[in-house]
């Protein structure tokens, strides 16, 4: 099981390995050396403090352009998918943001609610208590497509940006697992997640927006996209 894109991100962000990586690691991304079975994703929120007078992603970008280097955004830490999503947004929009890393998503969400930073890129479960209390608002999400449960939330594509960063969890089988077995596992996982009692839990803990993608569709070049982003951020990487 892999979560939060750790497979594509980790090899590109580790500066020094404790031991020399095998040639396979340098040649093939991790997901190619396993058989993806199923993937489920949730959006990352662009959560803002109520004092920031923006309503959507486009207005956030316009505000950042008018105030270069003055908007501070929180993430769950350096190299986290939240951090990379914020940097991806900044790079695509050609804006200057100040990244403030925290030791986890909960402290990052608290920082937004307290007004220590103007906004944060935060997973939905961590932001929910502050949204309910009114101490934080949603300006949008970082995925390219709308999230069906909240279709009014804006996306980077609404602002003309090609940014698509989600938090996903995947189930993988060993490389070489026969396709009929992979397909059966996929079908059984999907069947389980579609049960009403499971759906009730999933909606509360981690709302699923996409489930049941095929093995081929999971190999979408995320590793290349992450590598390009990391190079643009000038983060030293011993694997590039």
């Amino acid at each position: 099981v892999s979560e939060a894109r750790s497979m594509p991100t980790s090899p590109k962000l580790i500066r020094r390995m404790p031991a020399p990586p095998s040639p396979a690691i340098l040649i093939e991304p991790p997901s190619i050396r396993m058989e993806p079975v199923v993937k489920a994703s949730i959006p990352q929120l662009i959560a803002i403090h109520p004092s920031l007078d923006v309503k959507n992603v486009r207005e956030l970008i316009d505000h950042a352009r008018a105030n270069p280097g003055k908007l501070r955004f929180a993430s769950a830490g350096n190299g986290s998918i939240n951090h990379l999503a914020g940097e991806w947004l900044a790079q695509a929009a050609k804006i200057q943001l100040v990244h403030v890393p925290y030791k986890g998503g909960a402290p990052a969400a608290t920082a937004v609610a307290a007004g220590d930073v103007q906004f944060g890129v935060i997973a939905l479960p961590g932001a929910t208590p502050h949204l309910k209390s009114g101490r934080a608002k949603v300006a949008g999400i970082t995925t390219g497509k709308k999230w069906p449960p909240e279709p009014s939330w804006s996306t980077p594509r609404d602002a003309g940006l090609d940014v698509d960063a989600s938090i996903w969890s995947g189930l993988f089988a060993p490389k070489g697992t026969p396709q009929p077995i992979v397909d059966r596992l996929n079908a059984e996982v999907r069947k389980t997640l579609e049960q009403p009692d499971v759906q009730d839990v999933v909606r509360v803990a981690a709302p699923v927006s996409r489930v049941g993608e095929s093995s081929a569709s999971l190999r979408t070049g995320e590793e290349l996209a992450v590598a390009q982003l990391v190079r643009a951020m000038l983060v030293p990487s011993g694997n590039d």
Side-chain angles (χ1 to χ4, degrees):
V1 177
S2 177
E3 54 82 28
R5 290 190 175 185
S6 58
M7 280 191 165
T9 59
S10 297
K12 300 302 177 184
L13 289 168
I14 297 175
R15 184 175 182 180
R16 293 184 178 88
M17 300 288 284
S22 70
I25 291 178
L26 299 177
I27 295 171
E28 293 184 337
S31 63
I32 301 302
R33 299 193 303 280
M34 300 185 189
E35 298 293 346
V37 174
V38 69
K39 170 184 171 183
S41 65
I42 60 173
Q44 297 183 87
L45 300 187
I46 300 174
I48 63 172
H49 188 264
S51 63
L52 185 61
D53 188 21
V54 301
K55 299 181 181 65
N56 51 51
V57 176
R58 185 181 295 277
E59 290 186 7
L60 178 68
I61 291 169
D62 289 343
H63 184 88
R65 285 175 176 158
N67 299 273
K70 294 183 179 180
L71 275 186
R72 293 155 53 89
F73 82 92
S75 83
N78 285 319
S80 65
I81 186 58
N82 318 85
H83 175 203
L84 294 181
E87 297 291 354
W88 192 353
L89 182 69
Q91 183 187 92
K94 296 180 172 57
I95 56 177
Q96 296 177 26
L97 300 175
V98 178
H99 173 233
V100 183
Y102 286 85
K103 294 181 179 180
T110 300
V112 173
D116 296 333
V117 293
Q118 289 98 333
F119 77 99
V121 179
I122 301 168
L124 177 56
T128 297
H130 304 293
L131 299 177
K132 289 182 176 180
S133 70
R135 299 178 66 201
K137 301 189 301 182
V138 177
I141 56 179
T142 61
T143 49
K145 296 181 179 179
K146 296 285 190 181
W147 191 49
E150 294 289 348
S152 64
W153 289 352
S154 70
T155 71
R157 288 182 183 171
D158 291 334
L161 304 177
D162 186 17
V163 173
D164 186 7
S166 63
I167 296 178
W168 60 261
S169 296
L171 177 65
F172 293 79
K175 179 69 175 177
T177 300
Q179 192 60 43
I181 295 178
V182 173
D183 292 342
R184 174 67 183 276
L185 287 171
N186 178 286
E188 292 299 326
V189 171
R190 294 177 65 183
K191 185 186 301 182
T192 299
L193 289 174
E194 289 168 359
Q195 294 177 8
D197 55 338
V198 176
Q199 279 287 308
D200 289 341
V201 174
V202 168
R203 287 193 189 100
V204 173
V208 175
S209 63
R210 190 165 66 250
V211 176
E213 299 186 28
S214 68
S215 172
S217 68
L218 280 177
R219 296 170 179 172
T220 56
E222 285 182 277
E223 291 87 357
L224 179 59
V226 169
Q228 292 173 337
L229 176 61
V230 171
R231 278 194 287 267
M233 291 164 57
L234 300 180
V235 175
S237 172
N239 291 343
D240 284 337

